[in-house]
């Protein structure tokens, strides 16, 4: 059996470690090669192995379930030879960044696998959309990765005080998440970001025009990703990245750049939503009723915080919106949950009618 010595293994710079070696051992015994997927397109993928980058077909591991297709970041077992060469299997994923598709079937779509850090790029060239930041963070937390918010194009905000206020606004929106102001053009904040990302795999996320490709080039130290100018009107640009590419960073770690995401639908992300709105979840523990909906119930700690001004109304509205959206997505694939939701609606409807009748009786 091939010996996988961590300091000497050619794939160490791509995230290979002893745990992956143990997972791969049965495939190694079959004579298959270990590799990491660095790009996927049209049923084929590029895989970096100890023998170099190889092109392989994914037909053997491409089922109808879109959650189980090979994706960028996967560790795979590849045939050592063949024309075409095939990926035989992929190793169990440690983390997976998943969003819902735009299809009416509400399927999940895996954007990247085995990610340690999810960098949410937010451009300072336009007004901050805190609701969108919260949406990205919910998906990032749910994936199992550590989110990091990077405010790009910081050079466009020359006043330190104004920049500080913007960072504070995002920090309030992202409890427990590092928030860094970075300028790829001036180099501001890049050293801190490089230090944060050097120990693992990072996926770079954000809307088109957020400066992801420019940031990726700055981190890579060369113009690997194509960059196009953003429109002055809304800060948006065309999709400069059309596939998900995994690249080794010169300072350690690897980076997965992704296309700009127009739609960011939740996919079974209740835990992630809870982490984004940790202060609301904590308040809810002190409500009088365990099933408090934080609408009009007596003894609601969340509404009390809203009334006192300690909880911004925007945060509560965003929390409710994301929870409702996530519940709808999950219900479409879970018949039992659909039945529970219908039962809950009927119960609340009956309670509402009873309350109205009681009021009429008092009148």
């Amino acid at each position: 059996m091939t010996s996988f010595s961590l300091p000497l293994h050619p794939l160490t710079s791509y995230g290979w470690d002893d745990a992956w070696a143990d997972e791969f051992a049965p495939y190694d015994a079959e004579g298959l090669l270990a590799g990491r997927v660095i790009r996927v397109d049209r049923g084929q993928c590029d895989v970096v192995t100890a023998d170099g980058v190889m092109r392989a077909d994914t037909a053997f591991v491409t089922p109808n379930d879109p959650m189980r297709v090979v994706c960028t970041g996967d560790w795979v077992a590849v045939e050592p030879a063949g024309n075409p060469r095939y990926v035989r299997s992929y190793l169990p994923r440690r983390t997976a960044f998943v969003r819902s598709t735009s299809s009416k079937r509400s399927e999940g779509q895996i954007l990247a696998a085995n990610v340690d850090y999810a960098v949410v790029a937010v451009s300072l060239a336009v007004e901050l959309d805190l609701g969108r930041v919260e949406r990205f963070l919910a998906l990032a937390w749910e994936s199992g990765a550590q989110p990091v918010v990077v405010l790009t194009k910081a050079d466009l905000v020359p006043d330190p005080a104004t920049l500080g206020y913007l960072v504070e606004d995002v920090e309030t929106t992202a409890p427990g998440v590092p928030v860094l102001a970075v300028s790829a053009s001036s180099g501001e904040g890049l050293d801190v970001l490089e230090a944060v990302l050097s120990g693992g795999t990072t996926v770079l996320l954000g809307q088109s025009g957020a400066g992801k490709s420019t940031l990726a080039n700055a981190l890579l130290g060369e113009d690997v990703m194509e960059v196009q100018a953003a429109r002055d009107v809304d800060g948006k640009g065309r999709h400069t990245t059309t596939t998900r590419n995994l690249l080794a960073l010169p300072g350690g770690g690897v980076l997965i750049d992704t296309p700009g995401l127009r739609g960011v639908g939740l996919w079974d992300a209740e835990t992630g939503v809870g982490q984004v709105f940790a202060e609301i979840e904590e308040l809810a523990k002190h409500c009088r009723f365990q099933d408090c909906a934080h609408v009009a119930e007596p003894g609601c700690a969340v509404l009390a915080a809203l009334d006192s001004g300690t909880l911004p109304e925007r945060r509560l509205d965003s929390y409710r919106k994301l929870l409702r959206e996530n519940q709808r997505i999950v219900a479409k694939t879970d018949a039992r949950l659909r039945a529970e939701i219908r039962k809950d609606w009927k119960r609340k409807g009956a309670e509402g009618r009873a309350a109205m009748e009681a009021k009429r009786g008092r009148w």
Side-chain angles (χ1 to χ4, degrees), residues 64-345:
N64 292 328
D65 184 354
M67 297 284 283
R68 295 171 57 198
V69 299
V70 171
C71 73
T72 303
D74 271 328
W75 286 99
V76 296
V78 188
E79 294 176 341
N83 188 21
R85 189 193 309 265
Y86 288 96
V87 172
R88 287 293 178 178
S89 184
Y90 62 81
L91 301 185
R93 293 160 176 157
R94 294 178 182 175
T95 63
F97 192 94
V98 182
R99 68 167 177 174
S100 66
T101 66
S102 57
S103 71
K104 294 182 180 179
R105 290 178 294 178
S106 299
E107 297 173 330
Q109 177 190 23
I110 294 184
L111 299 181
N114 303 311
V115 172
D116 301 296
Y117 303 102
V119 168
V120 179
V122 181
S123 173
L124 290 177
V126 294
E127 185 177 354
L128 287 176
D129 184 344
L130 297 178
R132 182 168 289 274
V133 173
E134 289 162 345
R135 179 178 292 274
F136 271 111
L137 289 176
L139 293 176
W141 279 122
E142 191 68 33
S143 75
Q146 166 64 53
V148 179
V149 177
V150 173
L151 303 180
T152 64
K153 308 179 184 180
D155 55 291
L156 298 180
V157 187
D159 179 44
T162 302
L163 183 59
Y165 289 137
L166 291 171
V167 171
E168 288 178 9
D169 284 346
V170 178
E171 286 176 337
T172 301
T173 300
V177 176
V179 179
L180 306 175
V182 173
S183 170
S185 59
S186 69
E188 176 186 354
L190 275 176
D191 55 342
V192 178
L193 181 59
E194 288 171 348
V196 171
L197 306 183
S198 63
T201 298
T202 299
V203 62
L204 191 53
L205 307 160
Q207 287 184 287
S208 183
K212 298 189 309 303
S213 295
T214 303
L215 181 60
N217 286 336
L219 292 169
L220 292 163
E222 55 182 319
D223 290 340
V224 176
M225 312 307 297
E226 182 184 357
V227 177
Q228 294 177 358
R231 296 192 298 256
D232 292 334
V233 175
D234 55 11
K236 296 180 180 179
R238 288 177 289 170
H239 292 290
T240 55
T241 304
T242 57
T243 58
R244 298 169 191 94
N245 304 282
L246 185 148
L247 301 160
L249 294 170
V254 294
L255 179 71
I256 300 175
D257 193 18
T258 63
L261 301 176
R262 290 191 179 93
V264 192
L266 299 185
W267 176 258
D268 197 6
E270 182 177 355
T271 300
V273 172
Q275 287 180 275
V276 175
F277 299 93
E279 80 279 26
I280 298 179
E281 295 272 304
E282 183 60 32
L283 286 168
K285 295 178 182 178
H286 302 286
C287 291
R288 182 183 301 177
F289 305 108
Q290 288 188 342
D291 61 347
C292 184
H294 321 306
V295 177
E297 296 85 349
C300 175
V302 174
L303 294 180
L306 188 67
D307 291 339
S308 68
T310 56
L311 175 64
E313 187 173 0
R314 190 206 65 80
R315 284 282 283 174
L316 182 56
D317 288 343
S318 184
Y319 174 68
R320 288 168 172 164
K321 177 182 178 181
L322 292 182
L323 280 183
R324 286 196 301 268
E325 177 184 328
N326 188 71
Q327 189 179 50
R328 286 196 300 270
I329 290 294
V330 174
K332 287 181 179 180
T333 57
D334 189 329
R336 179 186 59 80
L337 182 59
R338 287 199 301 272
E340 289 180 357
I341 291 173
R342 285 195 295 270
K343 183 179 179 181
D344 188 52
W345 284 345

